[in-house]
Amino acid sequence: MLTKFETKSNRVKGLSFHSKRPWILASLHSGVVQLWDYRMGTLIDRFDEHEGPVRGVHFHKSQPLFVSGGDDYKIKVWNYKLHRCLFTLLGHLDYIRTVQFHHEHPWIVSASDDQTIRIWNWQSRTCISVLTGHNHYVMCATFHPKEDLLVSASLDQTVRVWDIGALRKKTASPADDIMRLSQMNTDLFGGVDAVVKYVLEGHDRGVNWASFHPTLPLIISGADDRQVKLWRMNETKAWEVDTLRGHMNNVSCVMFLAKHDIIISNSEDKSIRVWDSTKRTSLQTFRREHDRFWILSAHPEMNLLAAGHDSGMVVFKLERERPAFSVSGDTLFYTKDRFLRFYEFSTQKDTQVIPIRRPGSTSLNQGPRTLSYSPTENAVLICSDTDGGSYELYVVPKDNISRSDTVPEAKRGLGGSAVFVARNRFAVLDKSNNQVLVKNLKNEIVKKSSLPFATDTIFYAGTGNLLCRADDKVVIFDLQQRLILGDLQASFVKYIVWSNDMESVALLSKHAVIIANKKLVHQCTLHETIRVKSGAWDDNGIFIYTTLNHIKYCLPNGDSGIVRTLDVPIYISKVSGNNIFCLDRDGKNQVITIDATEYLFKLSLLRKRYDHVMSMIKNNQLCGQAMIAYLQQKGFPEVALHFVKDERTRFNLALASGNIEIAVASAKEIDEKDYWYKLGVEALRQGNTGIVEYAYQRTKNFERLSFLYLVTGNTEKLNKMLKIAEVKNDVMGQFHNALYLGDVRERVKVLENAGHFPLAYITASLHGLQDVAERLAAELGDNVPDLPEGKVPSLLMPPAPILSGADWPLLRVMRGIFEGGLDTIGRGGAADEEDEDADADWGEELEIADVDGLPNGISHAVLEDGEAGGDVEEEDGGWDLEDLGLPESETPKASISTSSVFVPPSPGMPVSQIWTQKSSLAAEHAAAGHFDTAMRLLSRQLGIRNFGPMKPMFLDLHFGSHSHLRAFSSAPIISLAIERGWSENASPNVRGPPSLIFNFSQLEEKLKAGYTATTGGKFSEALRVFLNIFHTIPLIVVESRREVDEVKELINIVKEYVLGLKMEVKRKEIKDDLVRQQELAAYFTHCKLQMPHLRLALQNAMTVCFKAKNFATAFSFSRRLLETNPTNDKQVKMARQVLQASEKSMNDACQLNYDFRNPFVICGATYVPIYRGQKDVSCPYCSSKFVPNVEGQLCNVCELAVVGADASGLLCSPSQVR
């Protein structure tokens, strides 16, 4: 049973497949009818007008209709396109069990618990016949698919076959008057248009279901007596043929599947059973744990079944429809029915080769599953699920044709997965022993290879290699060397497809396509919402694959798209140019012609084959929003520009590609404020002040215009803007323009006119205009503001412009690959405009009309305000406002260059990138500022996960390897990289590694400081110093191998001190637990410390144990202390005293978890001994030992790495890499 789709819902009582679309209707016990798309797995619609359970539902064969019947005695006819019920048929007096459309006539048949069957005309919306005769609930009624018959099943233990031929005749021909009279009589006294033909008796309990065979005179029925009965009928009688026993509870539904010659039934015993209709034996049983089955439905055209149960429904197949095939060069070997067939792609010739199974030997899911072909030996290896997985080896006759029906003798063997791995060798997977058996063509084992991990399937991966699949990964395994050549995480791969050159492989799983190279290095993954079915590589290295309803492509960079849609699933065997060779589900070869332009265009862009791109654009083979979006996304907006006619899209693309000229032309066509604003922003970014000015003028944006003149130093136009603000009576505009100009008298005048006399007085007096200040003081009288004393005023004046009004200088560059060739494409007038400007050099000033006056738009605005009545007087002369217009026609144009003499200087590679490019040292990555890669390296090398303590070191490294220069007041600060080992003789083009602020000698100094603090008993301070060394070591770089060994030795020293000091700090925190105090003091003495510190630790442990009356333990410590030959007389004296006192009573008051005779290491997390022989895990960085249950936690000693993590080891020197 191959499950295709499952739902979870209330109990499903009725099911119906749509004949054309991938839809299924499910009627529920809750009263809802659901419409599902089983291919996509989505709920399309729900219909819930019934009150109570809906037991029957059926799609019309051709109209957008379905019918439903429920426990509310109603039959409803629905239009699924309109999403509503069209009408309701009333007449039944009890629950309606089933409803069905007739395949030809506008009839509906319904069966009901009112013991009747009714036939309705859904066009006239009337009941045309009532079939009475059953004397209990009628559980089902169905039309014969071809003849004028109807079968019904009832709880009266009978199955009835009705002849409705008279009903057909009555509706087919108009009757004469006499016929009409008799019709009235029959309607009054019981109709004769449907008569009982046979009554089938044989079941001992009520019959739940009966159905016809589509072509043979057979009926199948299922009943509450747990039996399925097969009946045969002829013109005169019907009789029972056989009984199928096996269900353990009431049989709910039963039907024929003529294509497979089988019967399928389901039951309240929670099982579906499949029976052989000729042998009348059980073939398969599918069970559910908790759900009883109620209904079955078969797709009218496809190999699909559906079953409804207590908690939903399941759509499934009984066997795979994918033909087994293998492609070799120009030939295809495939299986169809019982035969192996041969197809030649070049001639499209299809030939039957040999029969591979005996007639009548087919049984469900026992057909060929995979096929492997050896072209040199002309041998075929066919795998199937027979006997739990087996293979058959056939050697094909040289003439390739065998018409006989005799099956050639095949070499057989067990093993569900077998493939050729060499000319005359094939590999068979032995799952039970997890090994591969390599066999020769005589089916003899040549070699056995154990596989390094549990494998469930093997695929071909080149001569002598296998691609082995486990649940979550695939591995390439070399059978000769017994080595893993590559592996890749991939969820349950079903099929693999190698490219023609064996350089790339596509791994197909249920809903994903993974592309990798021959070493299984991942390149890209595509996820699909519906099932992936097959795929093949074309000659350009593009992978073409099919889903249930699409042919799609995948480019090497992971871009994908749809080539075309499919009506039925196909299995691609080969892609050649625009032709796709494929097999359909019936095993027929087809050739589908596709349009490959889109993916070839994208491939050309990807591979920078711009000549191909040009020719495709010129031939105008591509269009559409998707292609424009793709080009824009991939950084080719200038190409997309040539596809587009819509001005708004052209404008956006022109801005994206920096083509100001087209943007200006489009902005003029659109003429909307937002577009002029966007144009101004882009022109400003490019430093094209002429276009910026034009854009601001078009939108009458005076504030921005004034500021533009300020930053470009155009004081002449600023003066004009001041005058305009004055004419428009814009006080703030006047003040701003005066401020921009540095015109103090004008500012004072504006403030005075606005009535701000105190401000005007302060401005005049601060700027030294004494005459104006005195006049204003006289006007203010007693209200003259006081100026603050003792403060030096600073004047608010703009800087004097050094350079005025020019555009930014532009580089001379070669024209882009697309510019010249594409100029003639696109809009008609564009080419002429560009030709006119073709002689202009890039960098020449823009041809903008001399702005002596204002643009027309601005002068109109002035006149509208009614302020232009007369000339305005000023000291330097009058302004004639009518001369202020800019001619509308003179739109500024962006200059173009045809010069191809110079190429732009290519930007150099950033130093940080050079530093990290070839370095595997985390310190150098951190110095370059690439903290993420530094952290990844440390994680991989040392298993470090906690980078919090290292953050300051990272920042110090980065800042310490750079210096900063200030160039000019207006320019940004320049960052300079400082290199390690730089000399004046070094080549300027060769970059050295970064200078690092941490070095090994610093750590040695810190180690001495840690020793001093430990000697002085400052344990917290010593711990801080040692941890700082720990956190710095991963970012140290040394030169020689000897120094690397010294760094590793330092790690061991620091580890011992950190562990010991942490135990000692913890001991001091424990006040009330004497036993634990003694244990920690004892463990401290087993850390590998410097001799003075070891003596102190022994003295400490001796004292603690002696005070606690643990004399035997204190004795051992005193003896160890004396063995170190201490130089301190006090220590010697104390040790001897304890030794003598303890000898008198050699016993311990309390038991300690401490055995000094048995060698041990201390767990860095729990501080308990791990004795020799006990299991432990270690930290990949500091190598501290831990008890096994600490694995996966942060190391308590170094506080950086994860205990038990995989790591490659410390890398701190370029010499290790070499």
Side-chain angles (χ1 to χ4, degrees):
M1 183 175 180
L2 304 165
T3 304
K4 295 295 172 187
F5 172 58
E6 248 185 295
T7 67
K8 294 275 180 270
S9 65
N10 276 34
R11 184 184 304 167
V12 174
K13 299 294 285 185
L15 288 169
S16 177
F17 280 102
H18 195 283
S19 58
K20 296 288 183 284
R21 301 190 182 188
W23 292 352
I24 187 166
L25 278 169
S27 60
L28 310 186
H29 205 262
S30 62
V32 175
V33 179
Q34 295 179 331
L35 177 58
W36 291 90
D37 183 321
Y38 53 81
R39 192 182 280 176
M40 297 294 287
T42 52
L43 180 66
I44 299 170
D45 213 337
R46 61 199 303 276
F47 309 89
D48 51 3
E49 287 185 24
H50 278 287
E51 295 164 13
V54 185
R55 296 179 188 273
V57 69
H58 193 237
F59 266 120
H60 193 278
K61 189 178 179 182
S62 56
Q63 298 295 322
L65 304 175
F66 70 89
V67 60
S68 62
D71 286 7
D72 53 3
Y73 315 163
K74 292 173 183 172
I75 296 168
K76 290 181 177 283
V77 177
W78 310 74
N79 185 314
Y80 55 73
K81 283 188 178 174
L82 302 176
H83 309 285
R84 65 184 180 87
C85 174
L86 299 180
F87 55 88
T88 305
L89 301 172
L90 299 171
H92 279 297
L93 306 173
D94 208 335
Y95 297 171
I96 293 158
R97 293 284 175 176
T98 65
V99 285
Q100 185 197 9
F101 280 109
H102 193 273
H103 59 281
E104 209 171 87
H105 290 287
W107 297 344
I108 294 168
V109 64
S110 58
S112 168
D113 285 3
D114 64 8
Q115 304 181 14
T116 67
I117 300 154
R118 286 177 180 254
I119 299 176
W120 313 76
N121 185 319
W122 58 264
Q123 287 178 341
S124 62
R125 305 183 185 181
T126 54
C127 176
I128 56 172
S129 186
V130 180
L131 284 62
T132 56
H134 283 295
N135 52 29
H136 207 308
Y137 300 165
V138 185
M139 299 302 285
C140 94
T142 53
F143 289 116
H144 193 285
K146 291 188 177 64
E147 297 173 29
D148 295 331
L149 295 174
L150 188 147
V151 68
S152 62
S154 167
L155 293 191
D156 63 9
Q157 302 182 16
T158 66
V159 174
R160 290 177 181 246
V161 179
W162 310 75
D163 188 338
I164 53 171
L167 190 64
R168 176 196 283 270
K169 288 173 188 153
K170 190 172 86 173
T171 54
S173 59
D176 54 24
D177 291 342
I178 299 163
M179 286 287 289
R180 220 175 263 130
L181 186 63
S182 66
Q183 175 65 37
M184 285 167 63
N185 291 335
T186 53
D187 283 351
L188 286 169
F189 305 110
V192 290
D193 46 18
V195 292
V196 177
K197 195 170 183 184
Y198 320 111
V199 178
L200 309 179
E201 294 177 320
H203 283 289
D204 300 333
R205 296 276 183 87
V207 187
N208 290 316
W209 203 268
S211 63
F212 288 113
H213 192 285
T215 53
L216 301 173
L218 297 173
I219 293 169
I220 194 80
S221 62
D224 288 349
D225 60 5
R226 307 176 183 180
Q227 293 175 3
V228 174
K229 286 188 182 287
L230 181 64
W231 315 79
R232 183 177 284 275
M233 59 186 179
N234 61 17
E235 286 304 312
T236 56
K237 61 175 182 174
W239 65 97
E240 183 181 329
V241 176
D242 208 344
T243 301
L244 308 176
R245 293 179 176 86
H247 281 295
M248 312 301 288
N249 207 331
N250 305 342
V251 180
S252 312
C253 189
V254 61
M255 62 174 58
F256 289 102
L257 286 183
K259 187 178 177 186
H260 299 288
D261 233 9
I262 57 174
I263 295 161
I264 185 162
S265 62
N266 66 8
S267 159
E268 293 177 43
D269 66 4
K270 304 168 190 167
S271 76
I272 298 174
R273 284 179 181 263
V274 182
W275 316 80
D276 187 320
S277 61
T278 50
K279 297 177 184 172
R280 264 96 76 182
T281 55
S282 177
L283 293 175
Q284 278 176 304
T285 305
F286 311 115
R287 299 185 188 280
R288 285 186 80 84
E289 276 189 44
H290 307 296
D291 302 313
R292 297 167 295 175
F293 282 103
W294 298 104
I295 184 73
L296 278 169
S297 179
H299 196 286
E301 292 171 18
M302 291 163 64
N303 174 27
L304 276 179
L305 293 159
H309 53 77
D310 280 336
S311 58
M313 63 145 173
V314 55
V315 177
F316 62 97
K317 282 182 186 178
L318 287 177
E319 62 178 357
R320 300 167 79 251
E321 292 177 287
R322 180 191 179 99
F325 65 89
S326 176
V327 178
S328 175
D330 189 43
T331 58
L332 165 75
F333 278 89
Y334 68 101
T335 59
K336 181 182 178 184
D337 302 329
R338 296 187 301 108
F339 295 96
L340 176 70
R341 301 184 71 89
F342 165 82
Y343 179 79
E344 204 166 16
F345 293 116
S346 53
T347 59
Q348 296 185 22
K349 183 183 169 189
D350 197 336
T351 316
Q352 178 180 309
V353 183
I354 50 170
I356 51 171
R357 283 185 296 178
R358 290 170 184 81
S361 65
T362 58
S363 54
L364 283 176
N365 264 332
Q366 306 294 299
R369 193 176 179 85
T370 62
L371 190 151
S372 182
Y373 174 64
S374 171
T376 50
E377 301 294 326
N378 219 26
V380 172
L381 197 59
I382 293 172
C383 297
S384 66
D385 290 337
T386 314
D387 304 328
S390 62
Y391 66 87
E392 295 174 353
L393 175 66
Y394 297 92
V395 177
V396 179
K398 289 297 177 191
D399 58 359
N400 268 355
I401 294 171
S402 173
R403 291 283 177 207
S404 69
D405 233 16
T406 56
V407 180
E409 196 54 44
K411 307 278 195 305
R412 288 182 171 80
L414 291 177
S417 201
V419 289
F420 279 105
V421 288
R423 182 177 59 83
N424 54 0
R425 296 280 186 273
F426 64 94
V428 182
L429 176 65
D430 176 9
K431 277 193 199 175
S432 54
N433 300 314
N434 198 41
Q435 62 180 1
V436 169
L437 311 175
V438 179
K439 299 189 176 186
N440 60 19
L441 294 183
K442 293 177 183 174
N443 207 18
E444 299 162 342
I445 296 176
V446 179
K447 183 181 180 183
K448 292 182 181 179
S449 286
S450 294
L451 293 170
F453 64 95
T455 301
D456 55 22
T457 309
I458 54 173
F459 302 97
Y460 176 70
T463 305
N465 294 341
L466 286 177
L467 192 140
C468 307
R469 179 191 79 190
D471 282 342
D472 58 344
K473 66 175 179 178
V474 287
V475 167
I476 289 186
F477 184 69
D478 187 324
L479 288 168
Q480 201 66 36
Q481 303 176 56
R482 299 185 183 182
L483 289 176
I484 291 177
L485 302 181
D487 64 353
L488 179 64
Q489 293 295 318
S491 61
F492 203 75
V493 173
K494 294 176 76 176
Y495 308 106
I496 68 155
V497 187
W498 287 95
S499 59
N500 298 334
D501 56 5
M502 293 296 288
E503 289 296 317
S504 301
V505 64
L507 310 171
L508 310 185
S509 55
K510 200 172 188 180
H511 292 290
V513 177
I514 300 169
I515 306 291
N517 69 9
K518 64 181 178 184
K519 297 286 187 189
L520 287 189
V521 176
H522 179 267
Q523 289 174 351
C524 64
T525 300
L526 297 177
H527 293 283
E528 293 290 340
T529 51
I530 58 174
R531 292 166 193 255
V532 178
K533 302 308 285 182
S534 68
W537 295 85
D538 87 338
D539 304 329
N540 298 301
I542 296 171
F543 187 64
I544 308 295
Y545 65 100
T546 63
T547 63
L548 274 171
N549 52 7
H550 285 120
I551 298 177
K552 295 189 159 186
Y553 64 84
C554 171
L555 297 182
N557 64 344
D559 288 340
S560 67
I562 295 171
V563 178
R564 60 165 286 176
T565 53
L566 294 169
D567 298 327
V568 290
I570 58 164
Y571 304 96
I572 297 180
S573 51
K574 185 182 175 80
V575 180
S576 177
N578 282 359
N579 290 330
I580 288 180
F581 295 90
C582 59
L583 286 161
D584 63 14
R585 282 182 160 167
D586 295 326
K588 290 176 187 161
N589 277 289
Q590 294 183 12
V591 182
I592 298 175
T593 303
I594 57 166
D595 180 5
T597 314
E598 181 186 323
Y599 65 73
L600 291 177
F601 178 81
K602 290 181 177 180
L603 185 71
S604 300
L605 270 180
L606 176 67
R607 293 183 172 166
K608 298 184 170 57
R609 297 287 301 276
Y610 297 129
D611 50 342
H612 290 189
V613 175
M614 291 279 293
S615 67
M616 285 183 182
I617 295 168
K618 284 179 176 172
N619 298 336
N620 219 7
Q621 292 171 310
L622 292 152
C623 58
Q625 288 297 321
M627 186 53 69
I628 292 161
Y630 179 83
L631 287 164
Q632 200 165 359
Q633 175 199 342
K634 294 296 174 187
F636 296 102
E638 71 276 14
V639 182
L641 199 55
H642 296 279
F643 291 127
V644 185
K645 301 288 183 284
D646 176 63
E647 290 296 350
R648 283 175 165 77
T649 314
R650 282 179 70 79
F651 178 84
N652 290 328
L653 288 169
L655 287 193
S657 57
N659 194 331
I660 284 289
E661 186 176 49
I662 292 180
V664 171
S666 295
K668 282 181 73 179
E669 294 289 331
I670 301 163
D671 201 19
E672 288 177 15
K673 194 171 183 178
D674 286 350
Y675 286 85
W676 285 116
Y677 171 70
K678 286 179 189 172
L679 177 66
V681 170
E682 174 59 21
L684 195 60
R685 189 187 70 78
Q686 292 190 14
N688 197 329
T689 52
I691 302 281
V692 181
E693 181 182 8
Y694 183 67
Y696 289 166
Q697 286 172 354
R698 291 295 295 251
T699 52
K700 303 189 177 75
N701 199 329
F702 299 126
E703 291 83 359
R704 288 179 186 276
L705 209 49
S706 292
F707 195 74
L708 175 72
Y709 293 146
L710 170 69
V711 295
T712 54
N714 198 331
T715 50
E716 183 186 345
K717 288 183 182 174
L718 262 177
N719 274 311
K720 294 182 182 179
M721 293 307 295
L722 176 65
K723 183 52 65 184
I724 291 166
E726 196 175 323
V727 171
K728 287 178 64 64
N729 199 21
D730 177 5
V731 178
M732 279 310 294
Q734 279 178 269
F735 186 77
H736 281 149
N737 283 306
L739 196 60
Y740 294 160
L741 282 163
D743 189 338
V744 181
R745 285 188 182 277
E746 187 62 32
R747 271 164 55 199
V748 173
K749 182 178 155 188
V750 170
L751 289 168
E752 193 179 344
N753 291 344
H756 293 289
F757 292 107
L759 281 173
Y761 168 76
I762 292 168
T763 306
S765 57
L766 285 179
H767 288 82
L769 304 176
Q770 292 304 325
D771 52 340
V772 180
E774 287 167 9
R775 178 172 58 77
L776 288 169
E779 286 187 31
L780 283 165
D782 297 335
N783 297 326
V784 175
D786 295 327
L787 296 178
E789 293 179 9
K791 290 197 174 183
V792 181
S794 58
L795 303 185
L796 196 59
M797 297 289 279
I802 302 166
L803 194 69
S804 173
D807 287 345
W808 287 0
L810 302 175
L811 282 173
R812 294 171 180 266
V813 295
M814 289 177 67
R815 301 191 68 163
I817 183 74
F818 296 115
E819 287 174 38
L822 296 179
D823 286 349
T824 54
I825 311 163
R827 300 182 311 166
D832 302 331
E833 289 174 23
E834 289 177 14
D835 288 344
E836 288 169 20
D837 263 344
D839 296 333
D841 266 330
W842 288 33
E844 184 186 340
E845 284 201 7
L846 287 158
E847 300 271 336
I848 297 178
D850 187 25
V851 194
D852 287 332
L854 290 172
N856 293 342
I858 298 179
S859 50
H860 293 331
V862 174
L863 292 168
E864 279 162 18
D865 289 345
E867 300 289 341
D871 292 347
V872 183
E873 294 295 327
E874 196 182 85
E875 294 163 16
D876 295 337
W879 287 79
D880 186 355
L881 289 179
E882 291 180 11
D883 294 335
L884 294 179
L886 268 176
E888 196 64 47
S889 59
E890 293 194 35
T891 309
K893 291 180 181 175
S895 45
I896 316 168
S897 169
T898 54
S899 167
S900 59
V901 179
F902 298 106
V903 291
S906 56
M909 193 184 288
V911 178
S912 59
Q913 195 176 333
I914 296 171
W915 282 348
T916 58
Q917 208 168 35
K918 293 179 181 175
S919 172
S920 301
L921 301 173
E924 295 184 353
H925 283 252
H930 292 205
F931 294 169
D932 53 341
T933 56
M935 290 193 287
R936 275 204 294 276
L937 284 169
L938 290 173
S939 177
R940 199 161 63 230
Q941 292 165 7
L942 298 173
I944 295 176
R945 294 286 185 279
N946 177 28
F947 291 97
M950 299 179 75
K951 183 180 175 182
M953 285 81 167
F954 272 63
L955 292 169
D956 290 349
L957 273 175
H958 179 52
F959 293 135
S961 62
H962 290 79
S963 183
H964 303 279
L965 297 180
R966 182 161 179 168
F968 304 106
S969 58
S970 59
I973 287 171
I974 297 169
S975 175
L976 285 180
I978 305 173
E979 295 167 16
R980 188 161 76 244
W982 181 85
S983 71
E984 290 184 9
N985 303 327
S987 165
N989 297 323
V990 178
R991 288 286 184 183
S995 173
L996 303 176
I997 60 166
F998 301 130
N999 57 44
F1000 190 63
S1001 58
Q1002 291 171 344
L1003 296 188
E1004 288 177 325
E1005 292 301 318
K1006 284 184 181 176
L1007 185 66
K1008 289 174 185 172
Y1011 285 161
T1012 307
T1014 308
T1015 308
K1018 299 173 184 173
F1019 294 148
S1020 298
E1021 185 185 331
L1023 193 57
R1024 186 178 53 76
V1025 172
F1026 286 124
L1027 280 172
N1028 181 265
I1029 296 172
F1030 248 150
H1031 300 160
T1032 312
I1033 287 173
L1035 300 174
I1036 287 292
V1037 173
V1038 294
E1039 293 304 322
S1040 66
R1041 286 288 182 139
R1042 184 181 56 78
E1043 288 175 307
V1044 172
D1045 295 336
E1046 287 176 2
V1047 171
K1048 289 179 179 175
E1049 190 184 339
L1050 180 62
I1051 293 175
N1052 285 326
I1053 293 169
V1054 174
K1055 172 193 74 176
E1056 297 292 338
Y1057 271 88
V1058 170
L1059 179 60
L1061 290 171
K1062 284 198 169 189
M1063 287 194 292
E1064 189 59 20
V1065 169
K1066 184 159 180 76
R1067 185 184 73 80
K1068 289 182 182 297
E1069 290 170 1
I1070 301 170
K1071 301 292 183 194
D1072 47 358
D1073 191 346
L1074 271 175
V1075 173
R1076 188 64 177 147
Q1077 278 193 5
Q1078 293 174 75
E1079 286 174 354
L1080 291 173
Y1083 301 154
F1084 191 12
T1085 66
H1086 288 266
C1087 293
K1088 294 170 185 167
L1089 309 176
Q1090 296 288 309
M1091 191 53 75
H1093 302 145
L1094 179 61
R1095 287 172 185 150
L1096 289 168
L1098 285 165
Q1099 182 184 343
N1100 180 39
M1102 177 181 76
T1103 310
V1104 170
C1105 291
F1106 190 79
K1107 284 180 180 175
K1109 298 191 169 74
N1110 270 24
F1111 298 123
T1113 313
F1115 177 83
S1116 72
F1117 288 135
S1118 60
R1119 198 172 67 190
R1120 280 177 61 196
L1121 177 58
L1122 290 169
E1123 283 170 0
T1124 64
N1125 299 319
T1127 53
N1128 188 331
D1129 293 338
K1130 190 179 176 184
Q1131 275 182 341
V1132 174
K1133 184 181 176 185
M1134 184 188 289
R1136 284 186 175 145
Q1137 285 173 344
V1138 170
L1139 195 72
Q1140 289 166 2
S1142 300
E1143 271 179 331
K1144 295 172 186 174
S1145 172
M1146 284 291 282
N1147 57 0
D1148 286 342
C1150 49
Q1151 187 66 35
L1152 302 182
N1153 181 13
Y1154 171 64
D1155 179 5
F1156 64 89
R1157 297 178 192 83
N1158 194 353
F1160 65 85
V1161 290
I1162 302 135
C1163 171
T1166 57
Y1167 306 136
V1168 296
I1170 304 171
Y1171 291 103
R1172 186 180 292 169
Q1174 290 182 343
K1175 286 186 178 177
D1176 60 29
V1177 286
S1178 56
C1179 168
Y1181 170 33
C1182 66
S1183 69
S1184 301
K1185 301 293 182 185
F1186 296 87
V1187 292
N1189 61 3
V1190 178
E1191 187 170 6
Q1193 297 176 21
L1194 198 66
C1195 173
N1196 194 42
V1197 179
C1198 64
E1199 299 179 357
L1200 297 177
V1202 171
V1203 177
D1206 285 334
S1208 58
L1210 179 70
L1211 197 64
C1212 61
S1213 170
S1215 64
Q1216 288 173 282
V1217 181
R1218 289 184 216 122

